[in-house]
Amino acid sequence: MRIGELAERAGTTTRTLRYYESRGLLPARRAGNGYRTYDEGDLRLIEQIRTLQDFGFDLEETRPFVDCLRAGHPAGDACPASLAVYRRKLGELDALIDQLSAVRAEVDAQLTRAELAASAEMPGGPEPRCELNRKDEG
């Protein structure tokens, strides 16, 4: 198939496919007329890359999975290098979850302090203001 058909079937753009080719992730095969040609295996490579990117993997992190597929394995994560990338990504995600949990706890504590301070200053709370009447105040 040609690049336009591959892009359509993969749900991406020809520009993206050319970029993958420039990064060595997609083979650069040419027909006699100079057109790029692709097959079902190339579609599997693109699907693997896009799935991993949807999971938050950067493009370079997809390389071991692509290499694994190119080596003839039935899945991109059947190789030790791919498993190592999974392990590293899980470590990064765990660190981010810990960081976000700490930030969430801080924001929650700040909200609690602010609500207590606001209720102590104004037992009934501030008087409601009508936005339509704001210009009458000035």
Side-chain angles (χ1 to χ4, degrees):
M1 73 187 94
R2 295 200 359 211
I3 193 167
E5 182 182 350
L6 178 62
E8 184 177 326
R9 289 185 60 195
T12 191
T13 64
T14 57
R15 182 177 178 176
T16 297
L17 297 180
R18 285 187 205 99
Y19 180 69
Y20 292 167
E21 183 182 309
S22 75
R23 299 295 306 260
L25 293 169
L26 189 61
R29 292 184 305 269
R30 302 257 182 187
N33 59 8
Y35 291 129
R36 291 172 170 86
T37 60
Y38 303 96
D39 59 25
E40 293 299 318
D42 297 323
L43 179 60
R44 286 188 59 223
L45 294 177
I46 301 306
E47 289 170 344
Q48 178 76 79
I49 292 168
R50 295 196 31 106
T51 297
L52 291 169
Q53 287 192 305
D54 287 347
F55 291 160
F57 288 66
D58 66 38
L59 191 57
E60 195 54 37
E61 289 173 318
T62 69
R63 188 173 300 282
F65 298 86
V66 169
D67 291 344
C68 191
L69 284 171
R70 281 179 158 173
H73 294 277
D77 56 8
C79 298
S82 302
L83 298 176
V85 172
Y86 274 152
R87 286 185 195 99
R88 188 171 52 250
K89 181 56 80 173
L90 281 174
E92 290 172 14
L93 291 170
D94 287 341
L96 284 171
I97 289 168
D98 291 345
Q99 181 182 7
L100 287 172
S101 293
V103 169
R104 189 197 184 289
E106 286 295 320
V107 170
D108 185 48
Q110 190 65 27
L111 173 62
T112 300
R113 283 191 292 276
E115 288 175 336
L116 287 173
S119 66
E121 289 177 13
M122 301 174 154
E127 286 194 31
R129 295 180 60 168
C130 178
E131 291 296 318
L132 296 175
N133 294 333
R134 284 186 92 174
K135 57 184 162 186
D136 295 337
E137 293 175 8

